[in-house]
Amino acid sequence: MELKRDLKNRHVQLIAIGGTIGTGLFLGSGKAIALAGPSIILAYLIVGIALFFVMRALGELLLSNAGYTTFTDFATEYIGPWAGYVTGWTYWFCWIMTAMADIIAVGIYAQYWFDIPQWVPALICVVVLLALNLLTVKLFGELEFWFSLIKVVTIVAMIVIGLYMIVTGLQTDAGTASVSNLWAHGGFFPNGISGFLLAFQMVVFAFVGVELVGVTAAETADPKKNIPSAINKIPVRILLFYVGALFVILAINPWNTMTANSSPFVQVFTLAGIPIAAGIINFVVMTSAASAGNSGMFSTSRMLFNLGSNNQASAKFAKLNKRSVPQHALIVSTIVVSVGALLSKLMPDDAFSLVTTISAICFIWVWSIILISHIIYKKKNRALHEASTFKAPFTPFINYVVLAFFVFLLGIMLYAEATRTALLLTPVWFILLIILYRIRVKKAV
């Protein structure tokens, strides 16, 4: 049995949007705003541009070979089997961490209405998502389609309402809604360049999942049409959903009136004196977190399926149920994700920050592997690159620029006290994988 190509163009387009709008934007941007102030808009723009070039490299590689199901395939071919093994397991770990952050966020959002421990709704969310994912990939596509549509409609509505508030100079509890709020409270860089740079970790986390289009390749009905279409629309999404939304939020409410540990999207309507709208927005951001968690379940199960299919994990993970869903891979991934609910119980204040930092670091590895694979692909297969209908622009120069930028981001995380521990712990994961890979190679010999 093979994975079914049941994802249509509308599914892929909305999965791509769902991948770029999640917990990092809705909840994590509160922490990022507290660090960088209005300059957070520039940080989102810089990271967004870098990741667009990563996605163009990914798109060209995936379409260069119809046999590729995900990026571990071309990592194995162009860098080596060890790279495919390490990247496959790391991507699985990336999404485990991300899904943990998402279910932790569900617990945080639920506290807006209910005075209950945040681990309770987090656990309920895991159980519901497991049940839904055990059905069909088509159902996953439908769920993400509607989840993402809710996010899109909400953000567009918020931007429209926000622009009206700015144009009319609406008075809020925090002052007057005005574009001048972007520089009137300590300047565009109120905490200096250091505050701006320290915000990058959460900004990077906000973009995790942008490469999810690559994971859907094996279950997309028409990859040659759908994947380029989804990738080429990423710049518009970044300008609208990140830059546009944050511009409106920070123009309505000065950055220093917001709290780091709650959603600025909810705060903007609460401070504007529209509590009903704030409740609706909170519901939307909670469904957004659930949606991102749903993407996490999908990604982790498909990566584990891929690892099982390539003899890099137990063959049990490569088995599909009657509905063509990798059931064993999904259940094991879900059990590991549920640790997020336990973290919510053990360290409710620090759990979100810890898992988002680890996730961001591991995603930087995956994005770097995509860029390195593309550099080698272009050198080895010049004719294939020339014949490509979806060439990545400015290569290989831009690949090196973005790789240098990623090294710079890791340097910032090492410098920042809040992210240093997670950065120093993460190499343990890579060392463990290299050891396991070598043991596997010796056994095969």
Side-chain angles (χ1 to χ4, degrees):
M1 287 181 76
E2 293 183 349
L3 294 170
K4 286 190 176 178
R5 290 187 177 271
D6 276 345
L7 295 179
K8 305 292 186 268
N9 183 48
R10 68 185 178 91
H11 294 141
V12 175
Q13 294 294 337
L14 269 294
I15 286 169
I17 293 174
T20 51
I21 309 171
T23 308
L25 176 62
F26 283 130
L27 182 60
S29 56
K31 180 185 173 185
I33 289 169
L35 288 166
S39 65
I40 194 64
I41 296 169
L42 182 59
Y44 274 100
L45 195 58
I46 291 169
V47 176
I49 291 168
L51 290 180
F52 172 66
F53 289 113
V54 174
M55 289 302 296
R56 285 300 302 260
L58 173 62
E60 182 178 351
L61 284 164
L62 282 174
L63 297 177
S64 69
N65 186 331
Y68 291 156
T69 56
T70 187
F71 31 78
T72 54
D73 295 333
F74 57 70
T76 298
E77 180 174 343
Y78 292 113
I79 303 176
W82 70 269
Y85 181 85
V86 172
T87 303
W89 277 108
T90 298
Y91 193 66
W92 174 82
F93 186 62
C94 282
W95 271 104
I96 288 290
M97 290 289 111
T98 305
M100 279 186 190
D102 294 327
I103 64 164
I104 289 167
V106 168
I108 293 169
Y109 293 138
Q111 290 181 320
Y112 182 84
W113 296 294
F114 309 108
D115 186 20
I116 54 174
Q118 66 186 48
W119 66 269
V120 175
L123 194 59
I124 292 170
C125 178
V126 171
V127 173
V128 171
L129 290 179
L130 172 62
L132 293 171
N133 271 274
L134 281 171
L135 299 175
T136 64
V137 67
K138 197 168 186 179
L139 178 64
F140 164 78
E142 285 299 323
L143 278 171
E144 275 308 290
F145 177 81
W146 292 107
F147 270 147
S148 296
L149 200 59
I150 290 170
K151 292 188 226 181
V152 171
V153 170
T154 302
I155 293 180
V156 171
M158 193 210 72
I159 290 173
V160 171
I161 293 167
L163 287 173
Y164 172 77
M165 292 164 73
I166 295 164
V167 170
T168 57
L170 186 79
Q171 290 293 319
T172 72
D173 293 342
T176 306
S178 168
V179 175
S180 64
N181 282 326
L182 294 176
W183 59 82
H185 302 272
F188 192 67
F189 294 88
N191 293 326
I193 295 299
S194 63
F196 170 67
L197 295 176
L198 290 174
F200 270 90
Q201 177 268 322
M202 193 53 71
V203 173
V204 170
F205 176 72
F207 281 100
V208 303
V210 69
E211 75 305 307
L212 188 57
V213 173
V215 183
T216 64
E219 295 169 87
T220 300
D222 188 359
K224 286 189 177 181
K225 176 187 174 185
N226 297 340
I227 289 174
S229 175
I231 290 171
N232 282 336
K233 287 180 179 135
I234 286 171
V236 176
R237 291 180 190 132
I238 291 165
L239 287 172
L240 178 65
F241 300 125
Y242 287 96
V243 177
L246 289 170
F247 170 84
V248 168
I249 286 170
L250 291 165
I252 294 171
N253 293 111
W255 72 275
N256 53 0
T257 63
M258 298 186 178
T259 54
N261 56 357
S262 59
S263 173
F265 287 79
V266 177
Q267 290 178 70
V268 79
F269 286 103
T270 304
L271 287 171
I274 316 174
I276 294 174
I280 293 169
I281 295 289
N282 193 71
F283 172 75
V284 169
V285 296
M286 188 163 79
T287 60
S288 167
S291 159
N294 191 38
S295 294
M297 298 283 197
F298 177 87
S299 300
T300 52
S301 61
R302 269 49 181 189
M303 286 311 302
L304 213 46
F305 169 81
N306 190 269
L307 289 164
S309 301
N310 294 331
N311 297 317
Q312 293 176 336
S314 169
K316 288 182 179 179
F317 296 137
K319 291 181 179 178
L320 302 173
N321 64 15
K322 292 178 182 178
R323 293 174 293 278
S324 297
V325 172
Q327 183 172 311
H328 294 300
L330 180 60
I331 290 171
V332 169
S333 294
T334 305
I335 290 168
V336 182
V337 167
S338 64
V339 172
L342 178 63
L343 283 174
S344 276
K345 182 176 173 61
L346 297 176
M347 43 191 299
D349 297 330
D350 302 318
F352 185 76
S353 181
L354 176 69
V355 297
T356 54
T357 304
I358 294 172
S359 175
I361 295 163
C362 290
F363 269 102
I364 286 172
W365 167 276
V366 173
W367 298 332
S368 299
I369 288 293
I370 292 169
L371 292 170
I372 293 166
S373 297
H374 187 269
I375 291 168
I376 299 169
Y377 148 83
K378 192 174 177 181
K379 282 181 181 176
K380 281 189 173 181
N381 297 316
R382 176 68 63 177
L384 197 60
H385 169 70
E386 292 301 326
S388 174
T389 56
F390 194 56
K391 291 186 186 73
F394 311 121
T395 58
F397 169 74
I398 200 68
N399 298 46
Y400 290 114
V401 171
V402 177
L403 284 168
F405 175 61
F406 288 158
V407 172
F408 175 66
L409 290 178
L410 293 175
I412 293 169
M413 291 182 201
L414 182 63
Y415 168 76
E417 193 176 335
T419 53
R420 189 182 302 133
T421 302
L423 179 69
L424 294 174
L425 283 173
T426 308
V428 174
W429 166 257
F430 292 101
I431 292 166
L432 178 65
L433 284 179
I434 293 293
I435 292 168
L436 289 173
Y437 174 74
R438 287 186 174 176
I439 291 170
R440 199 170 189 84
V441 169
K442 283 182 180 178
K443 282 185 179 179
V445 173

